[in-house]
Amino acid sequence: MKNLSALLLDARGEMIAWGFEARRMWLTQGMALRTAGARYYHGFKMDLGTLEEATRSEASADPADDAAESGRTDNACGVSSRDLLTTNLLTMLLRQVVQTMLHQITASGYDEDDIRWVITVPACFTDYQKAIYRDVIKNAGLPGEDGRVLLSLEPEAAAHYARVSGARTGDDGPPLVAPGARFMVVDCGGGTVDITAYQNDQDGKMIEIGRSLGDRLGSDFLNRRIESEYILEAFGKDVMEGIREECPDALLHMIDQWERAKVAVRLDQEENINLLIPTGIDRKMGATGRRRLARRQNKVDDALVFTPAQLHALFDTVVPGTLGLIEAQLTEMESTQGDPDVPNVIVLAGGFSNSPYLQQAIKERFSARATIVVPPNPDIAVLAGAVHFCYDPQIRARRSRFTYGIDTAMAFEEGVDPESSRVSAPHGERCVDRFNVFATAGQSVPTDAEVCHVIFPMFDDQKRITFGVYATGDAEPRYVTDDGCDQLAEVTIDLGPVMRFDRTERGVRTFMKFGETEVKVRAELVQGGGEAATQVRFHSNY
């Protein structure tokens, strides 16, 4: 049901294989592929929008990639140059998924136009990252019509799965589909831990009661630390460089062993875990390396030994942060709890939620305050739940993550507004950089609601209106230049069709929608009521 986010590319950047097949080829034909200049990329989605290197590869990266500037480019959505490689990899991967699915679905007798698609994104993704995904979706060959491709927050998809999977809250509480039920979904994946919380309305539809929380605390970070610290320390820097250069396939075999071993680690772990050393790495170590390892590990030289103390320290990389996110969401849920007889429920989803260590830590910390539920097959919760979301969304309202608005020129207030913001306009002195609020942080926004403000050009000869879309955690911002206020997009509206009218008749209805997975902006010309040509560019610094 699931495939691997992995690509094997040749020296020209053309695809050799993708998914598990790419990994298999890299493991079995690694030396020949490396000699030919091939590269293997995996787990690159979470590199999107970060300030770290553009992507991770088992082969050395092109120095030109590292030297890429982090500024914006003229690509769609204002994709920064540091994100271009990741964007291209995502597009290439999604194109293969689309082609595979189209082949299977059309072979079943359906037409391409019968399909609605859904792409899942972490709750911690910004609007800039979601906008890049929209660009990826278009370039991967998916339809561009509105409503044909949906974006779904991963914990929200997991919530849909939990509601239909048969997960039970015990004898005391209502089922997750019952009116009034209150539950939090903790989606513990490879790259992120994402959390959302809901209360069902009288129809059993979900209303978000806490703001989405998320952080890069997924199980992949355990794997990264295993390689970058534990394995490096055991073999030494020189040997490790040789392994990465000459036998990275053997290193991947060791990481695979850890993948299988980590799902058995418990909070009360008392036994060591051993990872057998592959032959290729053993040859690189040599007799000197084996003796060094044996001295460190009580004479064991054919495996890496992880003590319970080391395992606890490793899991402490991500588990305390996960508990902190749950604590923040649960505290917010408790602050709005009306009926004390309706329990709060914590639903664990995602592959990492299978970890006994994580489950025990959550139960030890929160079992006195909430009912903790693990649905069947939590590792497919996001995938299966996204299908239910795509077919019949069960969310009725979401919480606005920030206060959103645009910069406008309002009447200048003497003694209040700074002189630097004063502009003389035909209709009086104006203060630019004022924050025109469309939605307030924490506000419950119906999924189908649009907020409309009418704006006008300031000057008679003005042929377009350009404004920024801003976000801040402040509930009552006055200026878009206030501390903590970030510009997330730039919107340009063409006034060409209405230039024959007086300036006061060139109004533009600006609509913003915040209740869906993405912030959406559209505009209509008041004269004629037609859709105005609108460009929206999301910024990478948001």
Side-chain angles (χ1 to χ4, degrees):
M1 187 179 291
K2 297 175 69 173
N3 208 328
L4 188 67
S5 295
L7 287 168
L8 181 60
L9 308 183
D10 64 19
R12 300 185 306 277
E14 300 294 327
M15 194 190 71
I16 300 172
W18 69 284
F20 288 116
E21 177 63 13
R23 184 178 179 85
R24 184 194 66 78
M25 291 182 64
W26 188 248
L27 289 173
T28 59
Q29 306 171 36
M31 181 63 73
L33 288 166
R34 289 190 299 277
T35 301
R39 296 183 185 179
Y40 174 75
Y41 298 92
H42 72 108
F44 37 81
K45 179 176 76 172
M46 291 314 300
D47 293 318
L48 189 64
T50 67
L51 296 176
E52 302 166 354
E53 59 183 358
T55 190
R56 300 191 308 282
S57 168
E58 267 31 82
S60 58
D62 188 333
D65 295 337
D66 296 333
E69 298 178 1
S70 61
R72 287 172 54 196
T73 73
D74 288 331
N75 292 274
C77 304
V79 179
S80 67
S81 56
R82 68 165 182 267
D83 286 325
L84 286 178
L85 176 58
T86 305
T87 302
N88 291 336
L89 293 173
L90 286 168
T91 302
M92 193 178 298
L93 179 67
L94 185 58
R95 187 179 296 124
Q96 297 304 312
V97 174
V98 169
Q99 291 173 359
T100 301
M101 293 306 301
L102 282 175
H103 175 74
Q104 294 178 2
I105 294 171
T106 55
S108 301
Y110 293 94
D111 293 330
E112 188 172 333
D113 290 341
D114 294 330
I115 306 169
R116 176 186 284 174
W117 303 81
V118 58
I119 309 295
T120 65
V121 294
C124 63
F125 261 24
T126 65
D127 294 287
Y128 162 73
Q129 290 164 309
K130 294 173 189 174
I132 290 180
Y133 256 76
R134 279 293 176 189
D135 205 42
V136 168
I137 287 167
K138 178 185 67 177
N139 293 332
L142 286 168
E145 305 97 292
D146 191 37
R148 287 289 304 282
V149 182
L150 305 184
L151 289 188
S152 171
L153 296 179
E154 288 171 358
E156 193 168 277
H160 280 69
Y161 173 75
R163 285 160 55 93
V164 300
S165 65
R168 298 180 60 86
T169 60
D171 298 332
D172 298 332
L176 297 179
V177 294
R182 298 166 56 84
F183 59 98
M184 170 200 315
V185 177
V186 183
D187 174 30
C188 308
T192 61
V193 170
D194 293 312
I195 300 178
T196 50
Y198 307 94
Q199 179 168 348
N200 294 340
D201 64 11
Q202 65 272 16
D203 298 322
K205 300 284 189 177
M206 296 186 296
I207 295 177
E208 194 173 16
I209 57 175
R211 277 181 271 180
S212 298
L213 301 174
D215 207 344
R216 297 166 186 266
L217 297 167
S219 61
D220 285 351
F221 291 94
L222 299 182
N223 301 359
R224 295 193 196 188
R225 192 175 176 194
I226 281 284
E227 180 180 344
S228 63
E229 294 183 29
Y230 288 74
I231 296 179
L232 176 63
E233 186 178 343
F235 295 149
K237 183 178 179 181
D238 292 341
V239 172
M240 195 65 177
E241 288 178 353
I243 293 170
R244 289 191 175 119
E245 178 66 27
E246 299 175 27
C247 52
D249 47 348
L251 185 59
L252 284 177
H253 274 303
M254 292 207 71
I255 300 299
D256 278 346
Q257 288 186 64
W258 165 248
E259 281 278 8
R260 294 187 293 269
K262 72 182 179 185
V263 297
V265 177
R266 301 179 58 83
L267 190 62
D268 53 359
Q269 183 85 15
E270 295 182 354
E271 304 83 23
N272 294 339
I273 284 182
N274 292 356
L275 304 184
L276 296 178
I277 297 174
T279 303
I281 293 179
D282 182 72
R283 285 197 296 264
K284 293 298 298 180
M285 290 170 56
T288 302
R290 282 190 289 274
R291 287 194 297 269
R292 177 178 178 272
L293 192 62
R295 287 195 298 269
R296 290 170 46 89
Q297 300 186 159
N298 194 24
K299 301 182 180 179
V300 177
D301 64 358
D302 62 347
L304 290 190
V305 179
F306 292 84
T307 66
Q310 289 175 314
L311 293 170
H312 279 284
L314 186 61
F315 273 80
D316 282 347
T317 305
V318 295
V319 171
T322 300
L323 297 179
L325 291 177
I326 296 174
E327 175 68 44
Q329 191 73 280
L330 184 57
T331 299
E332 188 165 346
M333 289 180 69
E334 290 170 337
S335 69
T336 61
Q337 189 166 11
D339 186 353
D341 293 330
V342 178
N344 290 316
V345 178
I346 297 175
V347 180
L348 302 184
F352 193 32
S353 66
N354 279 315
S355 164
Y357 192 106
L358 180 62
Q359 290 184 15
Q360 289 173 318
I362 292 173
K363 290 175 181 177
E364 185 177 281
R365 175 86 168 263
F366 301 109
S367 60
R369 298 165 58 189
T371 302
I372 298 164
V373 174
V374 183
N377 303 316
D379 52 321
I380 65 165
V382 171
L383 174 60
V387 177
H388 287 282
F389 169 85
C390 192
Y391 174 68
D392 183 18
Q394 293 292 300
I395 184 74
R396 182 156 286 171
R398 294 185 176 91
R399 294 278 175 180
S400 180
R401 291 178 65 191
F402 301 101
T403 295
Y404 291 99
I406 65 174
D407 59 326
T408 54
M410 300 183 185
F412 187 86
E413 295 185 33
E414 296 284 351
V416 176
D417 296 323
E419 285 295 324
S420 59
S421 68
R422 186 195 292 262
V423 172
S424 296
H427 50 302
E429 300 296 294
R430 314 298 288 178
C431 172
V432 296
D433 295 331
R434 285 292 302 274
F435 199 119
N436 189 354
V437 174
F438 277 63
T440 304
Q443 176 183 346
S444 182
V445 183
T447 53
D448 58 352
E450 277 189 314
V451 181
C452 176
H453 290 194
V454 179
I455 58 177
F456 295 87
M458 286 183 62
F459 302 102
D460 293 335
D461 59 351
Q462 194 171 330
K463 297 181 179 180
R464 64 182 60 86
I465 291 178
T466 299
F467 57 84
V469 179
Y470 290 83
T472 178
D474 188 355
E476 297 180 350
R478 183 171 178 86
Y479 307 104
V480 296
T481 54
D482 289 346
D483 290 340
C485 184
D486 295 313
Q487 184 175 354
L488 64 93
E490 185 178 275
V491 180
T492 300
I493 300 170
D494 181 21
L495 297 178
V498 292
M499 286 302 293
R500 66 184 183 277
F501 297 108
D502 184 76
R503 181 189 60 80
T504 59
E505 296 179 312
R506 282 185 245 143
V508 175
R509 297 187 188 96
T510 303
F511 298 87
M512 297 184 71
K513 200 169 187 178
F514 306 95
E516 296 186 359
T517 308
E518 309 157 86
V519 174
K520 294 184 177 180
V521 183
R522 68 181 184 91
E524 292 179 354
L525 299 172
V526 172
Q527 290 289 348
E531 288 279 336
T534 306
Q535 291 183 334
V536 183
R537 291 171 55 90
F538 285 92
H539 292 185
S540 61
N541 62 350
Y542 163 66

